[in-house]
Amino acid sequence: RALNMPRPTPTQLPGLQASTACNDGPVPIRPTGMTRENSVEPEVLQEADDQAMVNAPMASLYEVTKLRNVRSDPWARMHRPQSRSQKPDFISQGLFDLQDAERLFARFRETLNAYLWGGIALVHDSLEGARASSSLLTAAILAVTALHAQDDGTSFDVCYPIFLDLVSQAMFDRYHSLDDVRGLCIGAFYLSDLSWKLSGLAVRIATELNLHQFCAMAIGDRPEYVEEARLWYFLYVCDHHFSIAYGRPPVISENSTLSCHEDFLRLPGITMSDLRLHSQVGVFIILSRIYHVFGPDRSRMIANDEFEILRRFDVDLARWRDQWKPRLGMTVTTFALPFCPSAAICNMSSGSAAQ
């Protein structure tokens, strides 16, 4: 039996407040995005049996819940919606002067970019192209270049907070681009206080974009994915550069696309920058194996029977040097390691040896 009780007004509903309850006006409620879609007729797709078997459990979940946020095609490229790419960036909003941005971008492209294996991190020739592709990439370039500008830190004090704000937004953004990942990598290599955090975020966004799978496709005679594969190898070096050298476990583990990374160098359009990058992929594969064999505890003493393992790793590093030195056209002096391979292995694995 229904009770004759008055229906509650909006001000009486729990968790809701009337717009007059606050002098500053109503607080907007941000949508979560976990909205339900209208039911649609199932599409007839020609899929392989193994792919259908893998997708069957998740396909059932999608069909029952109709939740957009759990939908993701693992074999599709994720692009930023056109409406978002047309939004004004921080330069259009007047947060940073356009002429100063042009000057900093030109300096990065002419000087600093070359230090990242011959400019492999930047694919745009103009500031306009970078801005149209990724505000995060643009802010990273400007912040990094402003760090080297002789203006008493004026430009850096403006660019750096903008870059941090865009990185924070990228943490929870649903859509990303390849240039977003490149921007995080550029920031990781030049902003030392953020290196570990930026490289980790870059790897996670890259896996959401399925770069690891596109990398395998590129090696498997799919040259249209060469740019994704190149960025994945760049990420591998970035990840290991800020993990192995500091005694941290790397995020990206070795697999066939990495152990056979030189297959990528047989694809069309490979440049000297790719050779330089893959020389670093090769050495970090060896250093990663050293790390996994001896572990992160540098205080552990090396047993007598482990010196043979050290010798084999020393041989691997010497072979790597002899293999890549002629391919890069470098002399012994310019290509020599800044440390002795044996000393590097001992330094990574242990502080002292057992007597």
Side-chain angles (χ1 to χ4, degrees), residues 85-96:
S85 62
Q86 295 176 350
K87 287 185 177 181
D89 62 358
F90 60 93
I91 297 178
S92 300
Q93 295 172 359
L95 300 179
F96 194 75

Side-chain angles (χ1 to χ4, degrees), residues 183-200:
L184 292 171
C185 291
I186 291 174
F189 274 105
Y190 282 102
L191 303 174
S192 58
D193 55 334
L194 300 177
S195 297
W196 180 240
K197 299 178 179 64
L198 294 179
S199 64

Side-chain angles (χ1 to χ4, degrees), residues 293-354:
V293 168
F294 293 99
D297 186 8
R298 298 179 60 182
S299 64
R300 183 180 71 86
M301 300 181 67
I302 299 177
N304 290 330
D305 57 354
E306 292 180 321
F307 278 97
E308 177 60 26
I309 302 176
L310 285 177
R311 189 194 67 81
R312 289 199 296 267
F313 282 131
D314 193 3
V315 171
D316 290 340
L317 287 171
R319 185 184 299 114
W320 166 82
R321 180 188 59 191
D322 295 338
Q323 173 188 357
W324 285 100
K325 182 174 60 179
R327 298 178 72 176
L328 298 178
M330 293 183 175
T331 63
V332 177
T333 303
T334 58
F335 191 76
L337 292 172
F339 47 79
C340 172
S342 299
I345 296 173
C346 292
N347 184 53
M348 289 178 57
S349 59
S350 176
S352 58

Side-chain angles (χ1 to χ4, degrees), residues 17-142:
Q17 295 180 351
S19 59
T20 59
C22 180
N23 295 331
D24 297 333
V27 178
I29 300 176
R30 184 177 181 180
T32 62
M34 298 295 288
T35 56
R36 298 182 182 275
E37 297 178 329
N38 296 328
S39 299
V40 295
E41 294 297 329
E43 298 180 359
V44 179
L45 300 177
Q46 298 295 330
E47 295 182 333
D49 293 340
D50 55 347
Q51 184 67 22
M53 184 178 298
V54 172
N55 290 339
M58 292 305 296
S60 300
L61 175 62
Y62 300 154
E63 183 66 23
V64 172
T65 62
K66 302 299 181 185
L67 293 178
R68 288 202 305 265
N69 280 15
V70 297
R71 294 175 181 265
S72 176
D73 182 1
W75 298 99
R77 304 187 193 204
M78 295 178 63
H79 293 285
R80 190 179 302 274
Q82 188 69 19
S83 60
R84 297 196 59 184
S85 62
Q86 295 176 350
K87 287 185 177 181
D89 62 358
F90 60 93
I91 297 178
S92 300
Q93 295 172 359
L95 300 179
F96 194 75
D97 183 70
L98 177 59
Q99 293 184 350
D100 291 338
E102 292 280 5
R103 174 178 54 82
L104 292 176
F105 182 87
R107 182 179 180 185
F108 178 86
R109 186 171 178 271
E110 295 169 0
T111 57
L112 298 177
N113 188 40
Y115 290 106
L116 297 178
W117 298 282
I120 204 169
L122 181 62
V123 297
H124 300 284
D125 296 330
S126 65
L127 174 65
E128 182 181 1
R131 291 176 61 189
S133 179
S134 169
S135 295
L136 181 57
L137 171 66
T138 306
I141 292 174
L142 298 185

Side-chain angles (χ1 to χ4, degrees), residues 236 240-241 244-245 248 250 254 280-295 313 316-317 320 337 339-341 344-345 348-349:
Y236 175 82
H240 285 64
H241 186 86
I244 294 295
R248 303 164 179 156
E254 183 178 348
Q280 298 300 295
V281 173
V283 73
F284 274 119
I285 288 176
I286 300 174
L287 296 179
S288 297
R289 293 171 181 173
I290 297 172
Y291 177 86
H292 290 300
V293 168
F294 293 99
F313 282 131
D316 290 340
L317 287 171
W320 166 82
L337 292 172
F339 47 79
C340 172
I345 296 173
M348 289 178 57
S349 59

